[in-house]
Structure formats: structure tokens, C-alpha cells
Amino acid sequence: MSLVRSAEPSSATYRNPKLYSLKGSGDGAVLSTPVFGPHNHKPMYMVDTYCSESYEKYFLDSPTEELIHPANSGTSDSLENQSPETSDDTDDTVRLKLQELERALLDDNDVDEYDMFGADLSMEIDGAWSNRIQRELLHDSPKESTSSDSNLSSITSNKEVSHVSPRTPKQMLIDCAAALSEGNIEEASTTINDLRQMVSIQGDPSERIAAYMVEGLAARMASSGKYLYKALKCKEPPSSDRLAAMQILFEICPCFKFGFISANGAIIDALKGEKRVHIIDFDINQGNQYIALIQTLANQPGEAPHLRLTGIDDPESIQRPIGGLEMVGLRLEKLAEILGVSFEFQAVPSRSSMVTPSMLDCRAGEALIVNFAFQLHHMPDESVSTINQRDQLLRMVKSLNPKLVTVVEQDVNANTSPFFPRFIEAYEYYSAVFESLDATLPRESQDRMNVEKQCLARDIVNIVACEGEERIERYEVAGKWRARMMMAGFKSCPMSSNVIDMIRELIKQYSDRYTLKEEFGTLHFGWEDKSLIVSSAWR
């Protein structure tokens, strides 16, 4: 299938990471694959030197700069997650009932995700720390409270070792998160100050992720996560450079890229035998996914179907300052014209939650396909509001009677889990992402630092620092997405063996540490034993 073939990276690019450079103004500064690098259009890249500024400056010109002074601030009262002693009994009962109901409805299978004391963490924890963690688990997660205490007992036995062994940034981060979850601002403040002296955005993966996660903790303590999230979105360099960083992320971290490729593969299979097709994309972004799709249609034997694409985009999207949906449509129309594919584009500038069937102009005689690529996790669910926008949107799409619906999402529980286990989840997930970047770009690469700041840091801050409606990045694990789709009336449509085989071949071009697994019709793309991205198709 040409869709996948066109996405193959240059072997020199990945066998010698230093050959992979998108920085600079030369004509050669383009992406190595047309999937994420449009023809005749060279995206802008960073012109300032991130290496010359510290991560503290990058974050601390935001509202978090005033947070390391707990003695004269009342930030402890603003924390969303207080200790069990300060919580209201009635609120606890209601919250636990809601958690139990959610697990029953969604077949929550996340218990193993919270096994914080296994070989993966290999932490040396003193007695006070282990007791604090135990209280958090007993209070915040009914499922974890049923497990044996043997793990905690064995950890406590390491108390003497931990007193003489220096703590790693990883241990300090989790210690700080535990202190914050108890409302211990003074201890958290001290740990944050210590961490800032130890970590670097130019260091190894563990230092780089710690540099961003410590600022997420600091923002949580100062209740400034909302502002920092927006600052990372709107901060100079201009929006076009953040979009370029997103393109690079999809190229150098292939799990994201494979998610798009698998969705396109399922769509191509669904197009067979159709004369007219209508694709609705609820977060079209720059439309790069459809560059590859149009190219594939042009290379298919026989006459390609007429393709009508409806692109939905939030009016406040980062694309707005650089032309938004109009520019996306013009670029795709030009490409389709060059390749001889019958194509038309319809722009719907609206938040996904506000879209109605009448806005989509569905027509008789067209095969309808709906694409959700890294979009659904932005929709709040029943844990945020009585209006469950996430499931409401899925039910609306089901009412359109689509031939196919594709879903691509990050595979991590960052939605309903309480702060402390959510912090552990986020650390383990993004640790794998940061480690995987070591396989594609050198640590001193300016492009890599751009990607980590513009794309990854923003999500980390939101997951760690924000609660309620301010927490936008609400990822769920594959099992929960499967449950939601089935409750909305959809049935799984496994990916074809051709798509899976071709992606397996592509993985070999990157690193043998990338993995691909299929479970219950869903594809899991991961780094070693950590699943990062899940892709599925539904009817």
C-alpha cells in the first residue's frame, strides 16, 4: 500500500541521528516523509537558540515564578487534592461511589498501571515516604487498597539504605508529588528548589523529563497550571513554529506517526468500491494526514472515488494566527489537483462539542467516514461535568450511520485517576516517550528541545498541575476507549493484516525497541514494554 511506503524514513536519518536536522534556512530543511511535510511548502523552524536559555527562564517568566515562597502565600488552601484528614467525609463517600460506578461501567482495567513498587520503578524509599504513599493509595483508589501490604513492607526495609544513598530526580519527583497530595507545601517547596538544581533540558532522558515535571508540580502548588498551559501554547516563537514542532514530533517519535498511518490504512480499506466518500475529521490540525491519503488514492489502480473532506477546528486553535482551516483546505485542494484526485474541502470552525449534524452536510450516496486522531481526550466526560461531552459526541457520530470511525489516542490513564497515581502514570508514560527520542535525535539537537518544550511539556504541565475544567489533556487507556465506543453502539473493526504487516516493516527502519501489538482489534504502538499510542477502527 503506497500510503505506508511513502512514509518510510531515510535509513541514514535514523542510523545516524546527527544526519537528521531540520534546523536552518537551507532548502534541504524539510521533513524526510511527505506524510508530515507538504510538497512545495517548507515549514518555519526555530531561529533562536534554546541551548542558550535555561528551562527555568522558559517556565519562570510565567506566573509560576512567585510560587517558591510558601511562607507568605496561601497556596496550600488552593490545592485540589487535600489529605484524608482535611477532606469532608460526605465528599469522600460520593467520590468513591462515582469512581466505583465509573469502573463498573467502563470495565476499568488499570490496576496494573498503578503497580508503583515493581521492577520498573526500582525505588529506594524510606519509611516515612512509604507510609505517605500507602495513605494516598488507601484514600484515593479503592482498587489499590485491596492489594497486599507486602510490597510496602519490603520497601520499608530499605529505610537504612535510603538514608545514605542520594535520591535520584525520579525519587524526588515522586516524593514531592506525595507531599503535595498531603498538602505539605513546605516539604514540596524545598524539594522543588533542590530538583531545579539537578535537572536539565539538555541532559539524559531522566533529567529532561524531570525538568518539565518539576515545573508542573511547582505550577500545581501555585495554582498557576492554567496560565502556564496557555503560556506554553502562545509563547514566542509564533504559532507556525509550534506546528513545525508537532510535525517533527510525529516524525521522530514514530508511535504517533504509526497511529496516523494505521488510521489511513483502515480508511483506504473502507473506500474500496465506493464512488463518493465523505470524511469528517474532528481535529484536522494542518491536514497532514490527508496529504498521504490523497497520494495513496492517486496511486491506486482504477479511478479514485470523489473525496469530500470536512475539517473541524477550534476557532481558538493555534492554527488561527497563520490562516487556519482556509490554508489547510487550499493546500489539500492544490495537491489533489496536481495528482488528479477529485476533491473538495469544507471548513467547520467550531469546537467539537458544538458541532451538530446539520453543520456537517452529510449527503445521500456518500460513504461516511469519521476520524478522531488525538482529539477525543480533549472532550470532558462525566467526571468533569454533568454534560458528558465525550460520550455525547460519540453518540452524535453514531447517529450519522458512518461506514467507519477511526480513533487514535495516547494510551495512559490521565482522566479520572486522582492526582498522585495520575502523576505516577504520567511519569512512566512520558519517560518512555523521552527515552524513545534518544533513538532518533541527539540530546543537543535544537529540534529535539523544541519538540519537548512545544509539544510534550505543555501536556505534562496540564496533566500534573490542573484539575476540573482546567485539565484539558484527559487521556484514557485502550480498555476505556473500547468501552466508550461500545456503549455508543459501535462494533470493533480490526485492522487488515496488510496494514499491520506494512507497519511492522516500517518499525524496522527506526529501532527494534519500538513495538506493535494487537489486542481486541486495537493496535498498540509502544516503546519496549510501554504502550504509548492505540489505534482502532469501528463500525
Side-chain angles (χ1 to χ4, degrees):
M1 185 179 298
S2 58
L3 159 70
V4 179
R5 298 298 181 193
S6 67
E8 291 181 0
S10 166
S11 59
T13 292
Y14 295 95
R15 290 173 184 170
N16 184 353
K18 293 185 181 295
L19 295 179
Y20 184 79
S21 175
L22 302 179
K23 182 75 170 68
S25 58
D27 292 337
V30 296
L31 297 172
S32 62
T33 168
V35 177
F36 301 104
H39 293 288
N40 303 318
H41 174 76
K42 185 182 75 172
M44 297 171 60
Y45 292 96
M46 305 301 299
V47 294
D48 60 331
T49 303
Y50 278 123
C51 297
S52 65
E53 63 174 340
S54 67
Y55 81 96
E56 288 92 345
K57 179 181 184 300
Y58 185 81
F59 282 93
L60 295 186
D61 55 8
S62 71
T64 57
E65 59 188 346
E66 301 176 355
L67 61 88
I68 308 300
H69 304 288
N72 53 15
S73 70
T75 54
S76 60
D77 293 334
S78 66
L79 291 175
E80 298 264 353
N81 292 279
Q82 298 293 334
S83 65
E85 291 77 12
T86 59
S87 298
D88 183 84
D89 291 341
T90 302
D91 290 343
D92 282 351
T93 302
V94 172
R95 181 165 60 84
L96 292 175
K97 292 294 185 183
L98 288 174
Q99 288 178 342
E100 291 171 359
L101 177 60
E102 184 223 352
R103 286 180 168 84
L105 289 174
L106 297 182
D107 189 25
D108 193 338
N109 58 357
D110 303 335
V111 181
D112 291 340
E113 300 286 343
Y114 300 146
D115 183 10
M116 290 175 283
F117 309 119
D120 288 340
L121 285 180
S122 61
M123 300 181 294
E124 294 175 345
I125 306 176
D126 60 32
W129 188 10
S130 65
N131 290 337
R132 181 159 59 237
I133 292 176
Q134 186 179 33
R135 288 200 301 273
E136 286 301 318
L137 292 181
L138 290 174
H139 174 63
D140 284 330
S141 182
K143 287 185 115 178
E144 285 80 2
S145 66
T146 62
S147 63
S148 170
D149 295 335
S150 59
N151 284 330
L152 288 169
S153 299
S154 63
I155 291 167
T156 305
S157 67
N158 288 329
K159 179 176 181 179
E160 304 251 343
V161 178
S162 65
H163 281 314
V164 297
S165 300
R167 289 182 299 165
T168 64
K170 177 180 182 179
Q171 293 168 337
M172 294 174 68
L173 283 170
I174 299 177
D175 203 4
C176 183
L180 274 181
S181 68
E182 290 185 326
N184 190 338
I185 303 302
E186 183 175 357
E187 178 182 341
S189 175
T190 299
T191 305
I192 286 172
N193 283 327
D194 291 342
L195 273 166
R196 281 175 164 163
Q197 305 303 314
M198 300 172 61
V199 298
S200 168
I201 61 169
Q202 300 175 51
D204 63 30
S206 64
E207 290 180 310
R208 296 165 95 103
I209 186 176
Y212 295 118
M213 295 206 80
V214 69
E215 298 307 325
L217 291 170
R220 182 179 183 85
M221 191 168 72
S223 299
S224 62
K226 175 182 179 181
Y227 307 103
L228 183 52
Y229 181 69
K230 290 184 176 180
L232 287 168
K233 179 178 181 180
C234 304
K235 182 177 174 66
E236 294 294 333
S239 301
S240 56
D241 285 321
R242 182 170 190 273
L243 294 177
M246 292 170 65
Q247 288 181 327
I248 302 172
L249 174 65
F250 294 141
E251 175 68 12
I252 68 176
C253 191
C255 286
F256 291 90
K257 180 177 176 179
F258 293 151
F260 283 117
I261 293 174
S262 61
N264 270 1
I267 292 172
I268 292 296
D269 284 343
L271 296 184
K272 293 177 181 177
E274 301 290 349
K275 295 187 178 299
R276 303 185 68 84
V277 178
H278 181 197
I279 300 177
I280 301 173
D281 192 304
F282 274 85
D283 186 18
I284 194 167
N285 207 286
Q286 297 180 88
N288 290 316
Q289 179 177 352
Y290 300 100
I291 293 174
L293 187 68
I294 292 172
Q295 290 172 334
T296 302
L297 289 177
N299 293 328
Q300 293 285 308
E303 184 178 356
H306 173 76
L307 177 60
R308 187 161 67 95
L309 176 61
T310 295
I312 300 169
D313 189 43
D314 189 333
E316 297 180 3
S317 163
I318 57 175
Q319 295 198 93
R320 288 294 154 201
I322 59 169
L325 287 174
E326 291 76 14
M327 293 298 295
V328 171
L330 288 173
R331 185 173 65 172
L332 294 176
E333 287 171 353
K334 181 66 174 178
L335 175 64
E337 180 182 356
I338 293 173
L339 296 178
V341 174
S342 179
F343 177 82
E344 60 181 299
F345 182 83
Q346 173 187 356
V348 178
S350 172
R351 288 187 174 88
S352 296
S353 60
M354 304 298 292
V355 173
T356 62
S358 61
M359 299 165 64
L360 301 174
D361 188 26
C362 296
R363 303 170 187 171
E366 292 180 329
L368 178 63
I369 295 174
V370 177
N371 185 54
F372 289 112
F374 304 105
Q375 159 62 17
L376 286 173
H377 71 268
H378 287 142
M379 306 293 294
D381 68 353
E382 68 280 356
S383 67
V384 182
S385 170
T386 54
I387 302 175
N388 186 344
Q389 295 182 16
R390 190 170 295 194
D391 292 342
Q392 188 178 66
L393 177 60
L394 291 176
R395 289 193 295 269
M396 187 275 284
V397 168
K398 179 61 178 175
S399 72
L400 301 176
N401 194 29
K403 182 176 183 179
L404 187 76
V405 175
T406 51
V407 178
V408 184
E409 282 290 346
Q410 287 94 323
D411 190 15
V412 58
N413 185 8
N415 183 23
T416 59
S417 56
F419 164 65
F420 189 66
R422 184 172 76 244
F423 180 87
I424 301 294
E425 284 263 307
Y427 182 89
E428 292 300 305
Y429 180 86
Y430 284 102
S431 286
V433 175
F434 275 74
E435 287 174 8
S436 72
L437 295 181
D438 253 11
T440 49
L441 281 181
R443 293 173 184 176
E444 66 272 16
S445 165
Q446 203 159 312
D447 292 311
R448 176 172 170 181
M449 284 186 281
N450 185 12
V451 165
E452 291 170 346
K453 288 179 179 179
Q454 298 279 355
C455 303
L456 303 180
R458 182 168 172 262
D459 292 355
I460 288 172
V461 166
N462 189 254
I463 292 170
V464 172
C466 299
E467 297 293 346
E469 294 182 354
E470 294 179 359
R471 183 147 57 85
I472 308 299
E473 309 297 336
R474 291 179 167 272
Y475 309 126
E476 291 188 310
V477 294
K480 287 189 177 181
W481 289 120
R482 183 169 61 250
R484 288 192 187 278
M485 295 300 291
M486 293 175 67
M487 285 193 297
F490 293 101
K491 294 182 179 179
S492 177
C493 178
M495 302 283 180
S496 71
S497 58
N498 288 337
V499 172
I500 297 175
D501 290 343
M502 289 182 180
I503 293 177
R504 288 193 191 280
E505 288 299 314
L506 269 181
I507 289 177
K508 296 177 182 178
Q509 301 291 326
Y510 289 85
S511 170
D512 57 7
R513 298 170 71 185
Y514 284 106
T515 60
L516 171 61
K517 299 179 181 178
E518 182 181 14
E519 295 179 358
F520 302 105
T522 298
L523 298 184
H524 294 249
F525 305 103
W527 176 254
E528 296 183 335
D529 60 348
K530 184 64 176 178
S531 176
L532 299 179
I533 303 297
V534 290
S535 178
S536 56
W538 304 83
R539 287 197 177 106

